[in-house]
Amino acid sequence: MKRKVLRAILCISMAGMLLAGCGNNQSAPAATEPAEDANTEAEELGTDAQEGASTESTSNEGMMVYLVSKGFQHQYWQAVWQGAQEKAKELGVEVQMQGPDTESDIAQQVQMLNTAIQLQPDAIGLAALDVSALNDGIAQAQSAGIPIIGFDSGVPEAPEGAVYANAATDNYAAGALAAEETYKIIKDRILSTQGSVRIGVMNQDATAESIINRGLGFIDKMAELVIADGKTVSIVGNEKYVNDSQVTDKGEGGNVILDIAVPSKVEAALSSTDAQTLLNKEDILCIYGSNQFSGEGLVNGDANIGKLGKDVVGVAFDSGTVIKDAVKAGKLAGAVTQSPLDIGRKTVELAVKAAKGESVADVDTGCQWFTAENMEDPSIAPNLYD
Amino acid sequence: MEGLKNNPIVKAIGTQRLVAFIALIVIYLAFGLLNNKFFSYATIVNIFDASYYIGFMAIGITFVIATGGIDLSIGTVLSCSALMAGYLNVSKGLPIVPTILLCVAIGALFGLMNGWMVSKMKLPPFIATLGSMMLSKGLGAIVTMSQSVTWKSSTSEEGWYRNIFRINSQSGVIVPTGFILLIASAIVMAIVLNKTRPGRYILALGSNLEATRLSGVDVDKWQTLAYVFSGLFAGIAGVSYASIYQVILPGAGSGFEMDAIAGVVIGGTSMSGGNGTIAGTMIGVFIISVLKTGLPFIGLNTAWQQVATGLVLIIAVFIDVCNRRRKG
């Protein structure tokens, strides 16, 4: 009996040691970045004074910016965090970042925003999962006088005056860019086909503003391009997208059918089933995955079917190992990448300015189309994370 | 009906399993008739792909349910072990073979912990495994700093591990090796459960713990073993999930255990313990994965999969309850 207890304790402590070994020396997600580089700080202040842009001459010391992201699970957020840390170091401020376990955990994000307000930072950066769920917290921050800077998808439809500025990708424009580039590839096949062709649009959810806009930007632009060439367009699938798009013909009637898929839960198996369903449709021509998760679902779903890069044109958004490999191997024709590093940097920069009472304005952090040919370009490579 | 019941084949398989098996065939054929693409080879492999992680978890948890217990932690143990092992492989350069073994070992370790809490600390299984569910979810996220872990691609040097569950050759030939592995594991564990001493003790303590203890059996040991099997197979399920889907999200595993439990129950294992059949569990698992893969084929949202699985679960158990009542 005693020996067994000992054995069990030994096992557990070994597990503990294993874990301790894993906890590496990189900073944890919620880690803080103290001001280290006094020189940079001084330089920065010097520039400020020279430019005379700021009426304040106080240093940034002791200033704290708290970022509430949509999560950490996609490497995309790691790149945002990296950019934020770089800028914080440069400006000599402290930055913290928290995010919910998955992008479905809206309740958890609400709690994180509340915690952030309790900690009374000088400014809060917020990437909202669901805008209406966060409205109470946003109002609370407003009455506490804490400026909010939106990042990533930002905080659209927030109460007037609560969000000072956004450092975000214009997701609607990014979706439209994907549609334009895709259309160049599939135009001839659309025009030469007698019957209908189908374009699948895979979205992670129908709640996050960034995802919705990337989907809608793609849908609306694609419809516009197709109609300009004299073909008709109709739309089927997820109601949110069907109703919010500018396509008026709902149903299977168009020369080009836009088919919108949204999984019931952010779950890899469900997303790849969505992709398989689209790939198995007779008239499928092209599929677009509107973020890293959907792009991975598309690539995984094709594993047994093998149509991508042959009969079906695949297009994705963001990067990550799976998507990068697929673009390299020609399975995906290309993808749109944002500038997560820039989003992180600009968010901290705007937050510090807003906290000092300077006026701030929205910044579009931009996006780029990448293919197997231009992946290594110095203007694109830094934004492609693993 | 009486005649059918006395049929030796029906007797050997058990009514509920027979009903479940017929339901599986009917559901499969129905999807195929509604959309003939469903009969394609690629779709069959897709169904297999969706069955591995649920299937391995279900094999393990059949043992726990046979003891009259429950293991809520297997879903998050799956993601925790795949996250930890994958992280060490990708970020710390641990070779792939120890990575896979570690993934399974972490699962078994959680199982050992659960078994110990239930048999020695006398915690109710629901509470003990609820605790380790939260524990494993948190630990997985802590180790990886809440990031997703992308296991190695097939094209990389160590990518061969993906062939354990599915071979995608350059020429386009696909071999669902995972299916062979799943069925082999099911056969081995069916023999363990029904034909060996540990299996018989597990079933015995499930039907009457005190009587089994009084007859001189070391019930604590065998009860713990059931949880170790459960954790071990959750670890194997972790490897299968990583090799099929490659990307593990820290929050991914929660909810998987319910699919596995549903599979076990549809297959005819009683939640009150004392009986258990791996063959039935496999049938239940395939009903779930056929529904998962098939419903989108006929144009239904994946949310309908849960509705359909729920209905199948209730109907399957209801038929069993009716049978017992008539017999009793």
Side-chain angles (χ1 to χ4, degrees), chain A residues 222-381:
Chain A
M222 186 56 82
E224 184 191 317
L225 292 167
V226 170
I227 289 166
D229 277 331
K231 292 271 183 176
T232 59
V233 180
S234 70
I235 186 166
V236 292
N238 181 276
E239 275 129 25
K240 170 78 180 165
Y241 290 88
V242 169
N243 294 333
D244 288 4
S245 77
Q246 285 168 14
V247 181
T248 46
D249 181 5
K250 326 271 189 235
E252 300 264 353
N255 296 131
V256 174
I257 304 162
L258 295 165
D259 196 333
I260 321 301
V262 176
S264 57
K265 192 180 153 203
V266 184
E267 199 335 72
L270 293 178
S271 183
S272 59
T273 307
D274 275 348
Q276 286 155 7
T277 310
L278 287 169
L279 285 164
N280 274 310
K281 291 188 176 168
E282 213 63 69
D283 49 0
I284 192 76
L285 170 66
C286 162
I287 303 177
Y288 162 65
S290 68
N291 74 339
Q292 187 180 350
F293 170 80
S294 298
E296 286 166 355
L298 173 58
V299 174
N300 273 329
D302 181 60
N304 300 326
I305 299 174
K307 281 191 183 168
L308 283 188
K310 292 177 189 146
D311 313 325
V312 179
V313 176
V315 180
F317 208 105
D318 292 334
S319 45
T321 308
V322 175
I323 291 174
K324 273 164 68 179
D325 284 355
V327 170
K328 256 182 227 155
K331 285 195 163 281
L332 294 176
V336 172
T337 179
Q338 310 176 70
S339 315
L341 286 169
D342 241 16
I343 292 177
R345 288 192 203 112
K346 293 281 192 260
T347 306
V348 172
E349 195 178 319
L350 289 173
V352 170
K353 277 189 179 169
K356 287 206 258 179
E358 296 171 29
S359 66
V360 285
D362 286 3
V363 179
D364 178 8
T365 45
C367 61
Q368 292 157 307
W369 169 255
F370 73 93
T371 61
E373 279 80 46
N374 70 2
M375 280 175 86
E376 310 296 335
D377 284 6
S379 63
I380 289 177

Side-chain angles (χ1 to χ4, degrees), chain B residues 49-279:
Chain B
D49 282 356
S51 72
Y52 300 149
Y53 67 99
I54 307 173
F56 285 112
M57 282 191 298
I59 291 176
I61 201 177
T62 303
F63 283 80
V64 170
I65 293 176
T67 67
I70 189 72
D71 189 345
L72 298 176
S73 68
I74 49 175
T76 49
V77 165
L78 178 159
S79 54
C80 176
S81 47
L83 280 169
M84 285 186 185
Y87 176 78
L88 290 178
N89 175 242
V90 175
S91 304
K92 302 283 161 190
L94 184 73
I96 192 73
V97 174
T99 299
I100 289 169
L101 295 177
L102 180 71
C103 188
V104 178
I106 293 171
L109 212 61
F110 272 108
L112 182 65
M113 188 175 90
N114 285 332
W116 193 69
M117 286 192 290
V118 171
S119 66
K120 299 287 185 195
M121 291 164 70
K122 307 291 176 205
L123 292 181
F126 189 96
I127 308 295
T129 60
L130 179 67
S132 46
M133 170 177 125
M134 293 167 170
L135 206 79
S136 54
K137 190 176 177 185
L139 286 177
I142 290 167
V143 169
T144 60
M145 295 170 293
S146 297
Q147 298 169 59
S148 63
V149 169
T150 307
W151 281 49
K152 296 267 170 76
S153 312
S154 334
T155 46
S156 73
E157 203 181 317
E158 291 187 317
W160 59 263
Y161 78 93
R162 300 193 76 183
N163 292 340
I164 302 172
F165 292 93
R166 185 181 63 209
I167 298 174
N168 280 26
S169 74
Q170 290 293 328
S171 53
V173 181
I174 302 160
V175 187
T177 36
F179 181 68
I180 300 162
L181 204 63
L182 179 66
I183 296 301
S185 312
I187 292 170
V188 170
M189 294 317 280
I191 293 169
V192 170
L193 183 61
N194 296 310
K195 304 282 176 209
T196 66
R197 207 158 49 110
R200 277 199 290 261
Y201 285 152
I202 283 171
L203 290 172
L205 74 92
S207 71
N208 192 332
L209 185 78
E210 278 317 306
T212 314
R213 192 195 305 277
L214 291 174
S215 58
V217 175
D218 183 358
V219 288
D220 289 359
K221 182 161 101 187
W222 304 115
Q223 202 173 21
T224 306
L225 181 71
Y227 286 89
V228 171
F229 279 149
S230 184
L232 180 93
F233 275 94
I236 297 174
V239 180
S240 76
Y241 190 89
S243 99
I244 299 294
Y245 299 109
Q246 209 184 340
V247 183
I248 319 280
L249 301 181
S254 22
F256 289 2
E257 67 281 354
M258 292 304 163
D259 278 345
I261 294 169
V264 173
V265 173
I266 291 171
T269 298
S270 155
M271 292 297 286
S272 50
N275 74 3
T277 106
I278 303 285

